[in-house]
Amino acid sequence: MGEVILREDVGRVAILTINRPDKLNALSEQVRDEMMAELEEIETNDSIGVIVVTGAGDKSFIAGADIGEFEGRPPFDQRHAMRSPRVFDVMANYPKPVIAMINGFCLGGGCELAMSCDIRIASDNARFGQPEIKLGLIPGGGGTQRLPRQVGMGHAMRLILTGDMIGAAEAQSIGLVEAVVAPEELRETTLELAGKIAAMSPLTLKIAKEALRASDRLPVEDGLVYERDLFCLAFSTEDKNEGVKAFLEKRQAEWQGK
Ligand code: COA
């Protein structure tokens, strides 16, 4: 376990908690490095099917990049700090499902990390925004690209150009989060969803995610051809044989991940 990322495995779900509550879980270089190390380990760990990302405490998911690291830093050092592979992109392209459990401030790099996740569940007191403009900056963790895809260009422009924060209900209404629950229900709701997904075939989940993610980059005609190919790839697996057989035998499927 790292110093600033805590890990708790609940069945086939790994909960990664950014543990800097005194700094509202700001994304320091150490947080990003430890997160990358966990992602690398979990990627090949067959006992984990789904990741949940959250922040420690009840006030903040992630309040953005660590602003303390920006002061006095030369631009080329900043460029080095932003070198690939970046945690935002690794998460967005991750083969296993990743769910953001948003328990408070979800700002800047926090909002960008949440958008790199596959599904977002927020507590009703969460606050969202891309406040970089107020620092004389723009989003640098994918916000200018992922936010318009997530909520549409107009809402993305409004959020990025004003730096304003919005509440959870509005975030849900514009499609920035998929569900909003009371704070005391956040963990249970998220783990229920994560557990349900983690009970599916890991191989089929991977193929489904690959098809869905392709819709971000492919024209629809190419995406449909790609989906057909991936469908036939799923068709070739032992898990497809088991899934179909279990349905016909009226029993639960037992996935092998093959
Ligand atoms: N980077 C580094 N430290 C941060 C931080 C960030 N992004 N966000 C909060 N903190 C620190 C504060 O400096 C403070 O530290 P201190 O107690 O050592 O002074 C601590 O976290 C608590 O924050 P505070 O501002 O006192 O809490 P608040 O409830 O008054 O305000 C926010 C909460 C989120 C509105 C405010 O902290 C804020 O605007 N943070 C910056 C958000 C931002 O611009 N993110 C994008 C960065 S590119």
Side-chain angles (χ1 to χ4, degrees):
M1 189 166 321
E3 274 177 46
V4 289
I5 301 283
L6 307 178
R7 172 158 162 199
E8 180 192 358
D9 293 355
V10 181
R12 292 183 47 72
V13 178
I15 305 172
L16 300 180
T17 303
I18 298 162
N19 188 31
R20 300 184 73 205
D22 54 323
K23 294 290 175 192
L24 304 186
N25 304 317
L27 280 185
S28 61
E29 198 157 355
Q30 188 183 2
V31 169
R32 294 193 303 269
D33 287 351
E34 288 187 19
M35 181 70 82
M36 290 285 268
E38 290 291 352
L39 292 174
E40 198 178 331
E41 193 281 320
I42 293 170
E43 187 167 344
T44 53
N45 182 340
D46 290 342
S47 61
I48 299 298
V50 172
I51 295 178
V52 168
V53 178
T54 193
D58 54 9
K59 191 172 171 187
S60 182
F61 172 66
I62 302 167
D66 190 323
I67 300 172
E69 291 181 351
F70 288 171
E71 199 187 12
R73 180 186 263 173
F76 278 88
D77 289 1
Q78 181 59 28
R79 197 159 195 271
H80 182 72
M82 294 170 83
R83 70 195 175 282
S84 295
R86 301 190 66 200
V87 67
F88 308 96
D89 305 328
V90 169
M91 215 171 248
N93 294 308
Y94 204 64
K96 299 182 182 184
V98 186
I99 301 174
M101 181 162 84
I102 302 166
N103 56 316
F105 288 116
C106 182
L107 303 173
C111 194
E112 291 170 304
L113 200 74
M115 287 189 285
S116 294
C117 294
D118 300 311
I119 304 173
R120 289 143 288 277
I121 313 286
S123 65
D124 60 19
N125 60 357
R127 310 268 297 154
F128 299 79
Q130 296 286 164
E132 293 87 347
I133 198 103
K134 295 180 177 172
L135 301 171
L137 284 169
I138 68 168
T144 64
Q145 304 305 302
R146 294 197 176 100
L147 191 57
R149 284 172 168 82
Q150 185 82 36
V151 302
M153 187 60 85
H155 288 304
M157 283 281 183
R158 176 171 62 100
L159 288 169
I160 290 174
L161 302 187
T162 64
D164 280 351
M165 279 193 241
I166 58 172
E170 187 177 354
Q172 186 176 22
S173 78
I174 64 174
L176 185 52
V177 299
E178 284 67 46
V180 175
V181 297
E184 59 275 16
E185 290 166 13
L186 182 62
R187 184 181 156 102
E188 195 187 333
T189 306
T190 309
L191 284 184
E192 197 181 315
L193 174 71
K196 185 186 279 189
I197 296 172
M200 302 299 167
S201 157
L203 197 56
T204 325
L205 287 173
K206 191 174 170 178
I207 299 172
K209 268 200 69 172
E210 194 167 331
L212 279 155
R213 286 286 176 191
S215 71
D216 269 348
R217 59 171 203 277
L218 294 181
V220 68
E221 296 82 4
D222 296 348
L224 292 171
V225 172
Y226 191 47
E227 179 194 78
R228 187 178 54 200
D229 288 346
L230 288 175
F231 182 93
C232 292
L233 186 64
F235 213 81
S236 72
T237 63
E238 288 179 25
D239 280 350
K240 168 259 168 187
N241 293 340
E242 165 64 6
V244 170
K245 199 159 178 269
F247 175 81
L248 296 174
E249 292 172 1
K250 301 188 189 306
R251 61 173 174 81
Q252 286 286 325
E254 287 177 28
W255 308 118
Q256 303 298 322
K258 291 182 188 159

